[in-house]
Amino acid sequence: MGLTCAHVSGLIAAAVILIPLNGHTGRPVHDFFAGKNLLTIVVLVVLGGVAVWVGGVLNLAPALRWFSLGQEPDPQQRRTATKLAGRQSLILVMTWAASGMAFILLNRDAGSAVAVPALLGVAFGAAAAVSTSLLLTQRPLRAILAVAARDSEGIVMVPGVLARLVLMWLLCSALPCGAIASLMFIKANGWILEKTAAVEIAIVVVSLAAVLLGLPVMILTSRSISDPIHEVIEAMAAVERGRTSTSVAVYERSEIGRLQSGFNRMVAGIAERERLRDLFGRHVGADVARRALQEGVSLSGDVREAAILFIDLVGSTNLAANRPPQEVAQVLNNFFQIVVHAVDRRHGLINKFQGDAVLAVFGAPLSVPGAASAALATARLLRDQLRQLPLVDFGIGVSAGSVFAGNIGAENRYEYTVIGDAVNEAARLADVAKTFAGRVVCSAAAIDRADQAERQHWASRGDTVLRGRTTPTHVFVPTGTSA
């Protein structure tokens, strides 16, 4: 359809070029459209349209066989796809050349009076048809070329942006001006135009040709630059919205193609970094991952006030011995999922999964207002939620105090952790909690650092000596239900 419409536009351009020559070529132009010439022109137009239609179908059919089925083309099909635009232009040029030669041969008795204007009309008509066909078919052809060029840097060698703009200037400005100068010289010698012909006729002819050929050429050139850039802009907007799987098609080898392929590589790098960051964050926590990306490889750390929550399962060894591995894994996953959601809700950090135990930190690596209150509220919430799980018993200990929070290890292998008496105390309180009905115990250090609203949910249970210690620790247990 695009080729046929382009062929018709070429016929209109040829007619517009020939009409101003009426009465100035030695033979009136109406003779071209009268008698047998009129029948000849009609036949040539119809045959030319059929030839263009059939040629366009035959040109496109091989590519449509794999493109319409969503198949990946083989190397030969890729090479064939690169020639689609060139072949369609060749179809139009050959059709116009054959029609022009046939018309000239049928009017050979008229000599140059018919041959020269006919050649002029064929030249302008064919040029208009070719440029219009590229304008009308570039989008569907681009879709095929994009698939053919997939996973490559483009398969079509085309002029760069500067060369396209220079070519557009030649066709739309330099060539018409040169044609005007040439026609004036030809008129002065009486070769095509009569010497008595007005100079305005030559200007009208060339001006019409410049308008008819320049507009599609200008549109084609500008769209060949603006369309790919617009695709990149839309893809950039999609990436800004978080769609890092976005990519643009690369179908030519030029600055535009390098821009498209460069954008794809950049987005692939962003997607890979986000994937690694997400994976890293799942292992060490989002806040720790963000800090590591900002600070790089460093074994630094600092001492800060933090609250520690330690939770340990009871009887996990017997559970593993008496249940299938898949069931044990499901129980542990349900347990860890509840713990992670509860800790995240209060902006805590899951620092470690230690078999069937979890160490959570509030107040590191990022300072959290009311870290002790957040840890105590999380412990109460976990007490209620974990009771709903079958086959699960637990102990939760909460403490608070000064801890070292930072990277421990070597530069090529380290982990973020917290070290301090509060950590050890929370672990031992978790053991003590297994002997209490509520399964949750905290130290006085945590209660002292909590706000008044949170303290109201806790009651003193006296002093107890924790494992490995000689001095007693004052402990508290929650009262009522969590908010």
Side-chain angles (χ1 to χ4, degrees):
M1 290 292 293
L3 292 186
T4 304
C5 292
H7 181 63
V8 173
S9 70
L11 294 172
I12 297 174
V16 172
I17 293 301
L18 290 174
I19 288 175
L21 298 178
N22 183 26
H24 301 282
T25 62
R27 182 170 181 174
V29 73
H30 60 78
D31 289 350
F32 299 156
F33 306 96
K36 67 174 185 179
N37 281 345
L38 179 59
L39 179 61
T40 301
I41 291 174
V42 172
V43 172
L44 291 176
V45 168
V46 173
L47 292 178
V50 172
V52 168
W53 181 285
V54 174
V57 171
L58 295 177
N59 181 43
L60 198 59
L64 286 180
R65 290 192 183 98
W66 55 263
F67 180 77
S68 59
L69 297 177
Q71 299 175 347
E72 284 294 322
D74 57 36
Q76 178 59 38
Q77 290 171 334
R78 293 180 190 271
R79 287 192 294 269
T80 301
T82 65
K83 302 176 182 178
L84 287 174
R87 286 178 175 173
Q88 76 174 24
S89 299
L90 183 61
I91 290 171
L92 289 169
V93 170
M94 291 180 63
T95 300
W96 275 85
S99 300
M101 290 303 299
F103 184 79
I104 291 173
L105 290 175
L106 292 175
N107 290 273
R108 57 184 179 274
D109 57 326
S112 61
V114 172
V116 172
L119 290 174
L120 191 62
V122 167
F124 281 110
V130 169
S131 59
T132 306
S133 70
L134 294 174
L135 179 63
L136 296 177
T137 62
Q138 65 170 339
R139 284 187 177 273
L141 289 182
R142 186 179 294 169
I144 295 174
L145 290 175
V147 177
R150 189 176 295 162
D151 300 326
S152 68
E153 296 295 322
I155 59 176
V156 181
M157 290 295 296
V158 297
V161 174
L162 178 61
R164 298 182 204 185
L165 296 176
V166 172
L167 181 61
M168 182 178 68
W169 171 79
L170 287 173
L171 293 176
C172 301
S173 180
L175 184 60
C177 292
I180 290 177
S182 300
L183 285 175
M184 293 179 65
F185 178 76
I186 292 172
K187 170 186 172 293
N189 291 275
W191 291 344
I192 298 176
L193 300 175
E194 297 179 354
K195 292 184 178 182
T196 57
V199 178
E200 290 80 0
I201 299 300
I203 298 176
V204 169
V205 171
V206 177
S207 299
L208 288 174
V211 171
L212 293 175
L213 298 179
L215 181 61
V217 169
M218 184 175 294
I219 296 176
L220 177 63
T221 303
S222 60
R223 287 182 58 177
S224 70
I225 300 172
S226 63
D227 285 357
I229 293 178
H230 184 67
E231 292 175 2
V232 173
I233 292 174
E234 289 184 340
M236 289 174 59
V239 173
E240 290 178 349
R241 294 192 294 269
R243 294 171 53 188
T244 54
S245 60
T246 303
S247 63
V248 294
V250 183
Y251 38 78
E252 64 180 51
R253 294 179 182 177
S254 66
E255 296 98 325
I256 300 296
R258 289 195 294 272
L259 173 65
Q260 294 167 326
S261 60
F263 173 83
N264 290 339
R265 288 193 296 269
M266 179 191 70
V267 174
I270 293 175
E272 179 67 12
R273 176 173 177 174
E274 289 298 320
R275 189 182 71 83
L276 292 176
R277 181 175 180 175
D278 178 67
L279 185 62
F280 185 35
R282 291 175 187 270
H283 281 274
V284 302
D287 294 332
V288 175
R290 188 179 303 108
R291 176 176 176 175
L293 291 174
Q294 292 173 351
E295 298 182 358
V297 177
S298 173
L299 299 180
S300 63
D302 52 10
V303 177
R304 62 174 61 204
E305 287 288 319
I308 309 299
L309 184 151
F310 195 91
I311 179 169
D312 189 18
L313 286 181
V314 177
S316 59
T317 302
N318 293 332
L319 180 66
N322 299 321
R323 299 284 179 175
Q326 296 86 348
E327 185 176 351
V328 176
Q330 185 62 46
V331 170
L332 291 177
N333 285 335
N334 293 336
F335 164 71
F336 289 134
Q337 185 175 20
I338 291 175
V339 174
V340 169
H341 287 170
V343 172
D344 287 345
R345 178 178 175 181
R346 298 286 181 172
H347 307 291
L349 165 69
I350 299 293
N351 185 237
K352 290 181 181 178
F353 290 106
Q354 298 176 339
D356 57 358
V358 177
L359 173 63
V361 184
F362 296 82
L366 300 179
S367 298
V368 177
S373 298
L376 293 172
T378 302
R380 293 187 296 106
L381 177 63
L382 287 173
R383 174 197 61 179
D384 296 338
Q385 292 184 342
L386 291 178
R387 282 176 174 174
Q388 302 174 10
L389 289 180
L391 307 175
V392 169
D393 196 7
F394 57 91
I396 300 176
V398 181
S399 183
S402 297
V403 298
F404 172 84
N407 296 324
I408 299 296
E411 289 187 353
N412 60 344
R413 181 68 174 88
Y414 65 89
E415 68 172 345
Y416 184 87
T417 189
V418 288
I419 300 174
D421 184 65
V423 180
N424 300 328
E425 187 175 68
R428 293 180 173 92
L429 287 172
D431 290 335
V432 173
K434 298 173 184 178
T435 64
F436 284 80
R439 297 294 192 268
V440 180
V441 173
C442 76
S443 66
I447 293 296
D448 292 342
R449 290 170 172 79
D451 55 35
Q452 185 61 37
E454 182 59 33
R455 293 178 186 174
Q456 296 177 359
H457 296 286
W458 296 82
S460 173
R461 290 297 298 269
D463 295 337
T464 184
V465 178
L466 301 178
R467 177 174 52 86
R469 297 193 174 189
T470 58
T471 59
T473 300
H474 195 71
V475 297
F476 291 76
V477 296
T479 60
T481 59
S482 64

